[in-house]
Amino acid sequence: MALQAASLVSPALSVPKEGKSCVCLKDSSFFGISFSDHLKSEFTSSTLRCKIELNQQIGAIRAQTAATTTPAVNKAAPDGKKTLRKGSVVVTGASSGLGLATAKALAETGKWHVIMACRDFLKAERAAKSAGIAKENYTVMHLDLASLDSVRQFVDNFRQSGRPLDVLVCNAAVYLPTAKEPTFTAEGFELSVGTNHLGHFLLSRLLLEDLNKSDYPSRRLIIVGSITGNTNTLAGNVPPKANLGDLRGLAGGLNGLNSSSMIDGGEFDGAKAYKDSKVCNMLTMQEFHRRYHEETGITFASLYPGCIATTGLFREHIPLFRLLFPPFQKYITKGYVSEEEAGKRLAQVVSEPSLTKSGVYWSWNKNSASFENQLSQEASDVEKARKVWELSEKLVGLA
Ligand code: LMG
Ligand code: NDP
Ligand code: PMR
């Protein structure tokens, strides 16, 4: 029932709309995905669709129970008006910075229950409390993206909670600009790409099934990107520049033993590894879009929220950098945004009806109006996206 209702509601609501805040469309070619590319991905996608459908049947009893008790759109309100249940959104890395600000912005609307997926339970609880997020609007659940076992455990725990999944936000990240030597995840992947890309890759691949089951009108999978991964910008040209090369390091498992710890096979560089991981995030979003948007109606999106120069992301940088970076961004580049403003931007991508277009990399102009931004050549390379996807699924044990 609920799933049928979903299929009636979602397509209508997932039709791209011109939002009032969408001021420019620079990136039309990016959406001109050729038909042959689509066909190429069709085989894999239909195989996976079978898996999703099978899993839907397995999970049907729980989904039906959850959905019959709390259908997304309730038509039985006394005044005859349709009401929408609270949305259920998972935000990774919601214990600080952008993730926390987004959780707060969403919770404050009263329309969302935020599952804060964090590696440090106590820190997340404290952060939610000090941000003033009301108890009934959030749940902290443990997730360490630097361990694939933890990712799988999180997915199990989330499913056991019985909550639907309406939106997934892949936000968490680490940045290790001063590291001289690579460090590694539990499975032995270089830590920045392992956490920011591979952990999120497994999480989002597993949770796609849950998103697909949701009867919420607009289901979304959002992966946070960044300007510094895009070499078509000034910020993206500050060395070391992102460059995935021919992916030989990724193919070798990024373990620093029999393969390089860097995706392109080069010498370890923490700042580059971070930027490379952001390119992977943006490529993954587009590959999801190509493989699954049409069949599921799910919106896949990425964004650059602005330079939030005060967050914990820069905790590993030298103190002088941490001191000078915020005024540099505020007064010189003028790219600075507060955590609060950035949180509102990401919250828009989660819930604004005008931002349902899929395959988009959102940015904001000086007046804080959203627009579809253009990705660099590498970050929009269709062939590279497919290769990153295929190599990543091997590394995380999905293929
Ligand atoms: C790499 O260095 C590191 O090797 C790597 O480990 C990792 O950290 C990586 O991307 C991260 O960076 C890259 C290198 C880029 O950066 C540096 O060497 C440090 C630059 C520091 C910039 C941080 C902002 C600090 C700016 C201070 C401004 C003060 C603001 C207060 C108001 C002052 C009013 C006047 O190096 C390069 O790319 C070199 C190219 C540099 C050209 C820059 C030209 C742009 C001009 C912009 C004006 C910047 C102001 C300069 C002031 C310098 C004062 C320290
Ligand atoms: P923060 O360091 O404040 O937040 C990062 C979050 O990720 C923290 O909650 C951190 O947890 C969490 N995290 C790190 N490692 C793991 C892990 N292994 N498992 C689970 N969670 C983990 O940085 P920001 O808020 O700035 O970064 C958020 C996102 O925004 C990132 O994707 C970043 O790339 C992106 N971004 C940031 C920009 C900026 O200027 N700051 C600009 C563009 C994009 P804990 O609290 O436990 O450390
Ligand atoms: Mg950058 C319009 C110019 C602009 C913007 C929007 C950013 C964003 N940066 C800009 C310019 C410059 N930066 C210039 C001219 C320089 C040389 C002085 C410069 C330097 C610089 C450094 C050293 N910038 C940095 C660093 C970092 O260590 C940050 C980084 O690369 O992290 C990966 C960073 C950033 N600059 C940004 C943004 C958003 C960052 C944070 C990185 C991110 O999350 O992607």
Side-chain angles (χ1 to χ4, degrees):
M1 274 283 284
L3 289 168
Q4 282 162 3
S7 59
L8 290 175
V9 178
S10 330
L13 287 166
S14 59
V15 170
K17 288 172 199 152
E18 290 305 316
K20 56 180 180 333
S21 57
C22 301
V23 291
C24 79
L25 271 169
K26 286 202 254 171
D27 196 16
S28 52
S29 64
F30 167 57
F31 296 98
I33 301 148
S34 74
F35 191 54
S36 60
D37 286 326
H38 188 74
L39 281 181
K40 267 187 254 164
S41 65
E42 197 46 37
F43 173 72
T44 354
S45 78
S46 49
T47 318
L48 284 158
R49 185 174 51 217
C50 290
K51 275 195 210 157
I52 288 176
E53 280 168 3
L54 185 70
N55 283 321
Q56 271 179 356
Q57 283 162 17
I58 295 165
I61 296 170
R62 203 199 64 236
Q64 296 251 346
T65 318
T68 34
T69 48
T70 50
V73 182
N74 184 355
K75 293 170 196 141
D79 55 2
K81 278 190 191 157
K82 289 180 189 174
T83 55
L84 193 63
R85 69 161 160 79
K86 249 189 195 184
S88 176
V89 53
V90 169
V91 180
T92 69
S95 52
S96 76
L98 177 60
L100 180 61
T102 305
K104 183 174 158 68
L106 290 168
E108 273 172 359
T109 63
K111 294 178 184 161
W112 292 92
H113 185 89
V114 185
I115 292 94
M116 300 169 67
C118 298
R119 62 176 165 178
D120 184 336
F121 194 93
L122 208 58
K123 180 178 176 184
E125 272 294 346
R126 287 198 182 117
K129 274 211 182 78
S130 63
I133 306 177
K135 246 184 153 39
E136 67 274 18
N137 291 337
Y138 77 92
T139 305
V140 176
M141 286 182 69
H142 186 261
L143 167 66
D144 181 357
L145 289 157
S147 155
L148 299 181
D149 282 346
S150 173
V151 172
R152 290 185 179 279
Q153 188 67 55
F154 172 82
V155 171
D156 284 351
N157 292 345
F158 177 76
R159 287 177 180 162
Q160 273 173 25
S161 78
R163 286 188 189 279
L165 180 65
D166 305 320
V167 179
L168 169 63
V169 180
C170 297
N171 161 78
V174 287
Y175 174 41
L176 310 161
T178 55
K180 298 274 174 280
E181 296 292 333
T183 43
F184 299 93
T185 65
E187 287 77 20
F189 308 126
E190 186 283 317
L191 194 63
S192 338
V193 174
T195 305
N196 309 355
H197 167 57
L198 291 171
H200 277 136
F201 182 81
L202 178 61
L203 181 73
S204 48
R205 285 286 302 272
L206 295 175
L207 288 179
L208 183 67
E209 176 193 326
D210 303 68
L211 280 171
N212 203 29
K213 267 188 234 161
S214 156
D215 63 345
Y216 203 71
S218 177
R219 295 147 307 136
R220 308 184 192 188
L221 197 171
I222 300 154
I223 309 178
V224 178
S226 181
I227 193 169
T228 54
N230 280 293
T231 50
N232 57 343
T233 63
L234 172 62
N237 276 291
V238 173
K241 291 201 237 176
N243 180 6
L244 307 188
D246 63 4
L247 306 173
R248 66 180 66 180
L250 187 65
L254 302 174
N255 58 29
L257 293 170
N258 51 10
S259 105
S260 163
S261 59
M262 300 295 290
I263 293 180
D264 65 357
E267 281 283 295
F268 174 72
D269 181 324
K272 181 174 183 296
Y274 170 88
K275 294 174 189 178
D276 289 350
S277 77
K278 290 284 117 184
V279 175
C280 290
N281 286 155
M282 295 179 279
L283 289 174
T284 300
M285 174 281 284
Q286 295 162 87
E287 192 64 17
F288 262 118
H289 169 75
R290 283 188 280 269
R291 289 178 187 242
Y292 295 110
H293 175 63
E294 221 172 82
E295 74 181 60
T296 64
I298 295 168
T299 296
F300 301 98
S302 185
L303 70 153
Y304 167 57
C307 185
I308 333 159
T310 51
T311 70
L313 193 68
F314 310 103
R315 68 187 95 179
E316 301 291 336
H317 225 309
I318 56 168
L320 184 64
F321 175 88
R322 294 211 305 273
L323 181 71
L324 296 178
F325 191 55
F328 173 65
Q329 293 294 344
K330 260 183 209 165
Y331 305 115
I332 299 177
T333 73
K334 308 232 191 297
Y336 173 84
V337 285
S338 65
E339 295 184 15
E340 190 187 2
E341 176 58 25
K344 284 185 189 153
R345 291 176 176 184
L346 179 46
Q348 282 173 28
V349 184
V350 169
S351 70
E352 272 282 308
S354 59
L355 303 188
T356 50
K357 189 163 175 181
S358 184
V360 177
Y361 168 63
W362 296 105
S363 295
W364 284 259
N365 66 18
K366 297 230 160 12
N367 303 319
S368 255
S370 55
F371 67 91
E372 290 176 32
N373 206 348
Q374 189 142 25
L375 291 156
S376 69
Q377 200 175 9
E378 180 171 55
S380 51
D381 184 327
V382 173
E383 195 51 30
K384 221 168 235 193
R386 188 181 60 75
K387 283 190 190 141
V388 166
W389 178 281
E390 287 171 0
L391 292 172
S392 302
E393 62 184 6
K394 284 199 186 110
L395 294 180
V396 303
L398 289 173

